[in-house]
Amino acid sequence: MQAGLLTTFKSPAKSRGYTAWILSVILFVFYILVYFTPIPDSWANAVGLNGKWQMYGVLYTLAMIIGGYFFLRKHGNSKYHKVRTWSVIFFQIVFAFSIPEIMGLFDSKGFNFAKFWPLGIEYLYPQYIFEYPLLIIVYAFVASLIAVPILTLLYGKRWYCSWMCGCGGLAETAGDSFRHLSDKKVKAWKFEQWSIYTVLFLALLTTALVIINWGLHFENEAGQWVTEFTTFDLIASKIQGTYQFIVVAMLSGVLGVGLYPLMGSRVWCRFFCPLAAIMGLVQKFGRFRITVKDDMCISCGNCSTYCEMGIDVRSYAQNNESFKRASCVGCGMCAHVCPRGVLKLENKWDFKQSSDKSKRPVFDL
Amino acid sequence: MHYVIIGNGVAGINAANRLRNLDDEAEITIISYESKHHFSRTALMYVFCGQLSEQCVEPFERDHYEKMGFKRIHNKVVSLDVLNKKLQLKNGQSLTYDKLLIASGSVPVMFDWKGADLEGVGNFVLWSDLEWLLEKAKTAKKAVVVGGGLIGIETAEILQLAGIQTTFLIRESHYWPVALDENEGTIVCDHMKEHGIDVRLKTEMQEILGDNGKVTGVKTSNGETIDADLVLIAIGVRPQTDWLADSGLNFDDRGGIIVDEQLQTNLENVYAAGDCTSVVWFNDVRRPEQLWYTSRDQGLVAGENLFGLEKNYKRGIFYNSAKFFDIEYTTAGYVNFNFEDEQNWYQKEEGKPYTVRVTYLPDKTVIGFNMLGRRWNHTILVQWIAEKRKLDWVLKHLNEANYDEELMSPFQVSGGIS
């Protein structure tokens, strides 16, 4: 048995009971208020904070710290989980929250160094990124376009998704108790492939249109930023706004977190995140894989159940198939909960999908 | 060709899957009464605790039968008429087969203790046992588990975790002597005690006490009385073959269906696989091998032979795994066979329930491994045994077989006692 997981399917809050539905509604309402209304500003001011976004940052970080504490109470006996949990909390406190706040104190626009395009789609919008000093501009481009693929080739998505990312960080800490609610069916996998690459396509399209549109602008004699291609300007701005509304606000915020208690903590990461889509494609060619020990699986289903990305890990384990899956964020929970130690996360170049079973060794005394 | 498979456990479903891979056209019927869907028996304990749901322990999606084109009969077979190739079902219906696979599994062993029929006495092997125990656990306060094997410790674990104070009666002088030596058995016993289990070694149950038809406690071989409202018997399982008594099949003395290397019985077109089957073990002894792994392998081979491939079932070098509360266990090769001249290299890590035991012969050839705590890749251990590696070489390379989670401190050889 795995301490901390014992009552998972007996607790209404963790198994889509009425408390889960109430929690989900509360999260939906909260996110809609934060994203689309000024109401939370007044709450922020009431507690002495500077606007709703600062309050959101404080709440988000607190949720991760508290959730992280409970996660470590359950799984802190594993060093891998201990280290990666401290890692996501560290990146949230220092990189996502403190550094941008400190930059703000120096009258500079805040910048999260632990976020990359296209998760931060604006990082490649010229009108956004060119307001920063040269060093940050170079960082945004190099990190997003060069460092991310290289690190993913070497370590899989996990260096980001379950060690650094803020969205992943919240899922791994505050959202951990809902990880088993991800849909494991093949149907969900098919939807995931369709949805995540659609969002990636939209992200690429939006970025391209915004960049082209920016290139078609110039400063006129009156010092105004104008373009001769007004129809294109209109379309590009419209698409930029639509992406912002649908993907950034609705999918990553409202649905992504609002559905935690009903569909698990990785709805955004699994179905929609465009950065995850890119890294997933790279991961298939990289070193990271989950190795399956031959013939040791008892098909109990702990691995599949506790996979937050909805991967039916058992279907590989019981077939002696080591595997690479684009969606795997390398959280390591499948290996951790396996009662027979069948699974192992590894970074190795050589990849043998399955072994030759006809060569089972025999021994004569 | 109509293939009928009796049993929906790991042997039956694997045979059906393999058969379907080989033959798109075959008519395949699976008959079983235990549960609607194939489930992993080894995971019953997780469902009891709520770590997994009922559906979580089903290894295939629920449309599996439909997708694979299996006809599924949810009923019990009561007799087999080989002459007419006919099966009689409990609901009165009957059906015929061209080739038959019997994979009816096993049922718990019960002795006729006084009081064995009292309410509150049961087992934890079948799906119906799970349902029974879930119901009982709602009100039970104290439980006694009888039988120092794997099902025994798993049952004790889940009862204790459900808040039921559990006493564990073990006949032997340490836990599970078939698999563990005294050092290892003691480590597991201490671990059980840390979890609050009242472990009684060298203790047998003499009688089950009751009042008004309900269990009130047990009397042990030491003359002691232990209060309990639940008694779980876990002294082993036996082949579920009673219903075949008049079929003309040959059985071993444990009730296992005797099969040849290709898992064919003495009757034409009748095969057997899994727990109900008596096979020749790696040490030339014939008996049922009631393990998940062997049932799975037999099922696959049976599927091939039903199709006509004439494949032999080869057990290969023995391996097994288990988990005692939080302590994982891996074994490979000839451990605890107590060969006259065998020796054992043993090391326990300070302050942790992690042990390594390497069994070897006087010429230092390694023949077995028994490991607690850490994870090991048994395929590599088995390979070394097949290659007749020597002790020194094995100890030097042991970390190549380590399978621990990443970032865990590596295993280090530090002396060890031979």
Side-chain angles (χ1 to χ4, degrees):
Chain A
M1 289 299 138
Q2 206 69 39
L5 300 181
L6 292 182
T7 53
T8 302
F9 286 89
K10 290 183 176 174
S11 138
K14 294 180 195 169
S15 51
R16 300 192 187 113
Y18 60 98
T19 35
W21 284 90
I22 293 170
L23 188 57
S24 182
V25 169
I26 292 172
L27 287 169
F28 265 93
V29 171
F30 172 77
Y31 267 87
I32 288 168
L33 291 178
V34 170
Y35 272 107
F36 305 115
T37 74
I39 298 166
D41 280 321
S42 56
W43 307 341
N45 296 336
V47 289
L49 288 169
N50 187 14
K52 64 180 182 183
W53 292 112
Q54 192 180 49
M55 179 191 71
Y56 179 67
V58 170
L59 284 176
Y60 200 99
T61 309
L62 273 177
M64 275 183 61
I65 293 170
I66 296 166
Y69 166 77
F70 283 103
F71 178 86
L72 287 173
R73 268 206 345 190
K74 284 190 256 180
H75 304 295
N77 57 343
S78 151
K79 196 166 172 199
Y80 182 75
H81 290 301
K82 211 154 133 182
V83 174
R84 76 175 177 85
T85 303
W86 281 114
S87 174
V88 284
I89 293 175
F90 167 81
F91 278 105
Q92 175 62 30
I93 294 177
V94 176
F95 283 76
F97 185 76
S98 302
I99 292 179
E101 287 293 330
I102 291 165
M103 288 168 81
L105 295 180
F106 292 93
D107 287 331
S108 164
K109 217 162 67 156
F111 187 82
N112 180 356
F113 288 88
K115 197 170 167 187
F116 310 102
W117 177 89
L119 174 59
I121 185 118
E122 67 280 11
Y123 281 26
L124 293 193
Y125 289 169
Q127 69 270 33
Y128 174 87
I129 198 70
F130 288 164
E131 284 187 13
Y132 284 101
L134 183 64
L135 216 61
I136 289 181
I137 299 170
V138 172
Y139 176 85
F141 275 83
V142 172
S144 300
L145 301 176
I146 299 170
V148 166
I150 290 177
L151 284 168
T152 307
L153 268 181
L154 292 176
Y155 305 108
K157 278 161 88 170
R158 55 178 170 162
W159 72 271
Y160 190 66
C161 298
S162 59
W163 286 69
M164 187 188 281
C165 178
C167 308
L170 190 71
E172 297 293 341
T173 52
D176 174 68
S177 298
F178 306 116
R179 57 166 51 242
H180 57 285
L181 298 170
S182 60
D183 193 336
K184 313 303 188 297
K185 291 198 201 77
V186 173
K187 243 190 250 167
W189 182 13
K190 295 234 168 91
F191 176 77
E192 159 199 323
Q193 289 169 326
W194 175 83
S195 64
I196 198 163
Y197 296 121
T198 303
V199 175
L200 176 60
F201 172 75
L202 292 176
L204 293 171
L205 179 77
T206 309
T207 309
L209 288 177
V210 169
I211 291 172
I212 293 166
N213 191 31
W214 179 82
L216 296 175
H217 277 70
F218 58 91
E219 206 172 316
N220 67 7
E221 288 113 18
Q224 289 159 318
W225 189 240
V226 294
T227 181
E228 287 168 1
F229 302 88
T230 46
T231 323
F232 185 80
D233 182 43
L234 202 71
I235 295 168
S237 312
K238 194 96 190 155
I239 286 178
Q240 185 188 340
T242 310
Y243 185 91
Q244 189 68 23
F245 173 74
I246 293 180
V247 179
V248 179
M250 291 307 292
L251 295 180
S252 88
V254 181
L255 279 178
V257 181
L259 287 174
Y260 265 28
L262 302 176
M263 290 179 67
S265 51
R266 289 280 193 173
V267 170
W268 158 251
C269 315
R270 177 186 181 190
F271 295 110
F272 307 116
C273 175
L275 179 57
I278 293 175
M279 289 195 292
L281 290 172
V282 176
Q283 175 161 275
K284 298 281 274 184
F285 300 99
R287 296 196 305 169
F288 174 72
R289 96 292 303 276
I290 293 179
T291 303
V292 170
K293 206 197 273 184
D294 275 352
D295 294 328
M296 202 54 118
C297 175
I298 54 170
S299 300
C300 67
N302 275 294
C303 53
S304 294
T305 301
Y306 289 98
C307 175
E308 55 189 347
M309 299 306 284
I311 299 171
D312 188 2
V313 182
R314 167 172 53 193
S315 65
Y316 298 95
Q318 65 193 2
N319 285 334
N320 298 330
E321 278 171 13
S322 299
F323 64 98
K324 293 177 177 179
R325 272 282 290 271
S327 63
C328 176
V329 292
C331 72
M333 196 55 74
C334 56
H336 185 60
V337 298
C338 175
R340 296 295 185 271
V342 172
L343 305 157
K344 189 168 165 63
L345 282 66
E346 285 185 306
N347 303 315
K348 278 201 299 199
W349 279 119
D350 67 305
F351 177 65
K352 211 170 67 190
Q353 194 168 13
S354 58
S355 60
D356 183 358
K357 281 194 70 183
S358 63
K359 286 188 188 150
R360 184 172 291 177
V362 287
F363 177 80
D364 308 302
L365 266 183
Chain B
M1 184 69 88
H2 184 205
Y3 299 98
V4 175
I5 296 170
I6 301 173
N8 191 26
V10 64
I13 198 81
N14 265 319
N17 288 343
R18 191 77 190 96
L19 201 47
R20 176 57 76 222
N21 292 341
L22 295 166
D23 187 349
D24 292 337
E25 306 287 304
E27 193 187 338
I28 302 172
T29 304
I30 301 175
I31 314 174
S32 108
Y33 68 93
E34 186 181 7
S35 62
K36 201 162 166 222
H37 302 278
H38 166 59
F39 70 94
S40 170
R41 190 173 308 285
T42 50
L44 280 183
M45 60 189 294
Y46 299 103
V47 182
F48 178 81
C49 286
Q51 182 170 326
L52 297 178
S53 72
E54 291 186 6
Q55 202 168 341
C56 290
V57 303
E58 294 166 12
F60 304 106
E61 286 191 34
R62 287 198 162 166
D63 60 359
H64 185 71
Y65 300 106
E66 200 185 320
K67 229 169 56 193
M68 301 290 277
F70 300 152
K71 194 181 165 208
R72 178 80 177 85
I73 298 176
H74 194 194
N75 211 295
K76 194 169 187 166
V77 186
V78 288
S79 67
L80 160 64
D81 173 359
V82 181
L83 272 181
N84 299 309
K85 294 188 167 181
K86 207 167 120 184
L87 295 164
Q88 185 63 46
L89 300 182
K90 199 180 175 185
N91 65 4
Q93 291 175 342
S94 63
L95 75 162
T96 55
Y97 61 83
D98 294 312
K99 285 191 178 180
L100 176 68
L101 174 66
I102 302 170
S104 51
S106 45
V107 285
V109 172
M110 286 291 269
F111 287 155
D112 47 0
W113 287 285
K114 196 178 160 201
D117 54 349
L118 290 166
E119 195 193 319
V121 181
N123 316 97
F124 192 65
V125 172
L126 306 175
W127 190 266
S128 51
D129 294 334
L130 169 69
E131 289 168 342
W132 170 79
L133 196 59
L134 278 170
E135 189 55 41
K136 285 285 162 200
K138 286 180 190 161
T139 51
K141 300 269 183 296
K142 289 190 78 185
V144 171
V145 176
V146 182
L150 197 50
I151 301 179
I153 196 171
E154 289 181 351
T155 312
E157 176 180 355
I158 59 173
L159 289 170
Q160 186 72 22
L161 288 171
I164 300 167
Q165 197 197 320
T166 303
T167 306
F168 190 17
L169 305 187
I170 299 171
R171 184 178 58 189
E172 293 81 11
S173 59
H174 69 265
Y175 172 69
W176 213 19
V178 178
L180 306 175
D181 73 4
E182 202 181 330
N183 287 324
E184 295 153 349
T186 307
I187 289 169
V188 175
C189 263
D190 291 345
H191 186 64
M192 278 191 262
K193 288 175 190 162
E194 277 167 33
H195 277 88
I197 307 262
D198 179 3
V199 184
R200 310 284 181 95
L201 296 172
K202 289 193 242 176
T203 309
E204 288 184 70
M205 182 169 74
Q206 208 122 64
E207 183 186 335
I208 304 169
L209 307 171
D211 184 31
N212 264 337
K214 284 186 182 170
V215 168
T216 57
V218 303
K219 208 168 128 192
T220 70
S221 50
N222 307 335
E224 203 181 345
T225 302
I226 303 168
D227 289 341
D229 35 28
L230 259 183
V231 175
L232 269 294
I233 312 290
I235 54 169
V237 290
R238 62 179 178 83
Q240 185 172 16
T241 52
D242 297 346
W243 61 281
L244 289 162
D246 305 323
S247 61
L249 283 168
N250 289 341
F251 299 99
D252 71 3
D253 53 5
R254 295 164 200 266
I257 303 166
I258 293 178
V259 292
D260 64 14
E261 280 189 311
Q262 294 178 8
L263 303 181
Q264 182 154 15
T265 67
N266 58 310
L267 302 175
E268 211 181 339
N269 296 322
V270 181
Y271 295 76
D275 278 14
C276 63
T277 310
S278 180
V279 292
V280 177
W281 281 35
F282 52 93
N283 55 351
D284 289 335
V285 178
R286 174 179 278 289
R287 55 173 295 184
E289 191 161 26
Q290 288 136 325
L291 294 175
W292 176 265
Y293 304 125
T294 47
S295 287
R296 174 201 60 204
D297 288 354
Q298 287 174 24
L300 291 169
V301 173
E304 291 172 350
N305 287 332
L306 283 167
F307 181 67
L309 290 187
E310 304 190 358
K311 288 281 182 67
N312 284 351
Y313 167 66
K314 285 193 220 110
R315 176 59 167 94
I317 292 175
F318 182 83
Y319 69 87
N320 199 9
S321 69
K323 193 172 181 187
F324 315 115
F325 285 74
D326 307 325
I327 305 179
E328 288 178 36
Y329 167 66
T330 310
T331 187
Y334 295 81
V335 177
N336 284 344
F337 274 75
N338 299 318
F339 293 117
E340 220 173 289
D341 47 4
E342 76 168 38
Q343 282 171 292
N344 285 280
W345 184 93
Y346 175 81
Q347 179 181 311
K348 181 181 179 300
E349 287 177 53
E350 193 60 40
K352 289 176 183 149
Y354 299 169
T355 65
V356 167
R357 180 150 67 96
V358 186
T359 305
Y360 59 97
L361 298 173
D363 70 348
K364 303 274 181 188
T365 304
V366 168
I367 56 168
F369 296 89
N370 224 30
M371 324 295 231
L372 287 179
R374 288 182 180 273
R375 291 176 171 181
W376 300 91
N377 190 346
H378 66 289
T379 43
I380 295 177
L381 302 178
V382 159
Q383 192 65 42
W384 290 345
I385 295 170
E387 291 165 2
K388 306 201 175 194
R389 296 287 181 182
K390 306 289 182 203
L391 179 67
D392 290 345
W393 188 94
V394 162
L395 292 179
K396 216 167 94 189
H397 291 82
L398 204 51
N399 263 327
E400 292 167 22
N402 183 275
Y403 212 72
D404 283 325
E405 272 184 272
E406 288 169 299
L407 305 184
M408 192 161 158
S409 59
F411 171 79
Q412 277 174 335
V413 173
S414 60
I417 312 150
S418 289

